[in-house]
Amino acid sequence: MLSEDQKQFFDAFGYLVLRDVFTSEEMATIKRESDEIFEEGLGVKLATGRAALQPFFERRPFMAGLAADDRIYCIGEDLLGPDFFLIGTEGNLHAGDTLWHGPGLWDETIKSVKIAFYPESLTAATGSLRVVPGSHRRNTPDLLEPLRHGNSQPDLRPFGMEQSEVPSVALELQKGDLAIFTEHILHAAFGGHDGRHQHAINFIENPTTESKEKDVRDFYEVSNYSLRPSESYVNSENPRLRRMVEKNLELGFDIMMGV
């Protein structure tokens, strides 16, 4: 369980790093299962050379159970409340830099968390995640707006500097550490080698107002994979996995059959 200090830190700054959550053996299993998925030819090749796949964790036995593991499930409960549910799981093979982005997913601020797994150690110079602390809380005017869509503008020089020079915190990670952040926070990565793994489980709070529910429904309509639970989770023998996709079904969202 997260401490009150950790919850307050996440709320204020938009990210957390948890150390030594998984053993080296567990991370080796995640790496092996991830490699198997990509070796099967699964995953969409993007223009940058990155491969991405959703849903991802459901495709192999060890990873499929991680969303219900105390070490992951309790993060959702602690940060989003007991009725949180699943946005989806994802697998990524990165190539080159990931430039600044972080416009968020919703018109209204709905709490969400991305729990990211990195099966190798990363530093600021080798592609670790970088964040601008507190940037998930937008001001009016938003002085950080030039960075919100930097990932789609490779020639952008915000504030007259290279994107890699923007003041930020590098979340340097060892195998077994977790990076937890919200998509609303400005984040990027620089200097990493091609083919580095980043995989994530994404949770969202239960939308308790009509406007928040509308935001969730609108996002579902424009996405191809998010908020669509896998058939294996809908029919899982694990009550936690079934519970965290019940809201998706209640909202009438499609099921990803065969996964």
Side-chain angles (χ1 to χ4, degrees):
M1 292 181 61
L2 299 178
S3 69
E4 286 303 314
D5 286 342
Q6 288 173 317
K7 295 177 193 177
Q8 291 172 13
F9 186 97
F10 182 85
D11 191 45
F13 299 111
Y15 74 96
L16 275 175
V17 173
L18 301 183
R19 303 291 184 190
D20 299 319
V21 178
F22 289 90
T23 67
S24 58
E25 290 79 10
E26 288 173 318
M27 294 309 300
T29 299
I30 291 172
K31 176 67 162 56
R32 174 179 54 78
E33 291 190 342
S34 301
D35 284 338
E36 289 173 358
I37 295 170
F38 284 114
E39 286 169 4
E40 290 173 355
L42 298 173
V44 177
K45 297 292 185 181
L46 304 181
T48 59
R50 179 170 67 92
L53 179 64
Q54 299 177 28
F56 189 75
F57 282 61
E58 294 90 323
R59 299 175 186 273
R60 283 299 184 276
F62 179 73
M63 290 194 300
L66 288 179
D69 187 297
D70 277 350
R71 294 168 290 182
I72 301 301
Y73 190 89
C74 290
I75 294 171
E77 281 192 321
D78 289 343
L79 295 179
L80 303 174
D83 52 356
F84 76 94
F85 63 106
L86 184 71
I87 297 175
T89 71
E90 62 184 84
N92 299 281
L93 286 179
H94 286 283
D97 295 337
T98 302
L99 304 179
W100 288 105
H101 61 291
L105 302 176
W106 331 104
D107 293 331
E108 181 176 338
T109 301
I110 302 173
K111 291 183 179 179
S112 63
V113 296
K114 179 186 287 286
I115 303 169
F117 297 72
Y118 298 84
E120 61 184 298
S121 298
L122 294 172
T123 68
T126 61
S128 71
L129 183 73
R130 302 186 193 191
V131 299
V132 177
S135 58
H136 63 305
R137 295 186 174 276
R138 289 188 172 186
N139 295 313
T140 304
D142 181 8
L143 300 180
L144 295 173
E145 181 62 30
L147 295 174
R148 297 289 175 190
H149 305 282
N151 199 33
S152 60
Q153 302 177 58
D155 297 327
L156 177 69
R157 286 178 54 86
F159 315 112
M161 63 178 68
E162 297 294 335
Q163 291 200 38
S164 60
E165 297 172 341
V166 169
S168 60
V169 173
L171 309 186
E172 299 194 328
L173 304 167
Q174 300 297 316
K175 293 179 184 178
D177 297 343
L178 293 178
I180 304 165
F181 57 103
T182 169
E183 289 282 7
H184 296 285
I185 198 172
L186 285 164
H187 52 290
F190 299 94
H193 66 83
D194 289 354
R196 65 190 185 280
H197 288 233
Q198 185 219 46
H199 312 309
I201 298 171
N202 301 278
F203 294 142
I204 183 176
E205 70 169 330
N206 186 39
T208 54
T209 66
E210 290 185 6
S211 59
K212 286 187 176 185
E213 183 173 317
K214 180 180 183 301
D215 280 348
V216 174
R217 290 185 181 278
D218 288 347
F219 178 63
Y220 170 81
E221 292 297 331
V222 299
S223 68
N224 294 320
Y225 306 103
S226 296
L227 297 167
R228 293 159 171 80
S230 64
E231 181 182 18
S232 60
Y233 277 9
V234 171
N235 298 319
S236 174
E237 295 181 359
N238 188 310
R240 281 185 170 178
L241 293 177
R242 291 199 310 273
R243 188 215 63 76
M244 73 174 65
V245 298
E246 285 176 354
K247 185 66 176 181
N248 309 66
L249 302 179
E250 177 188 324
L251 292 170
F253 296 161
D254 290 339
I255 298 172
M256 297 287 285
M257 305 301 292
V259 184

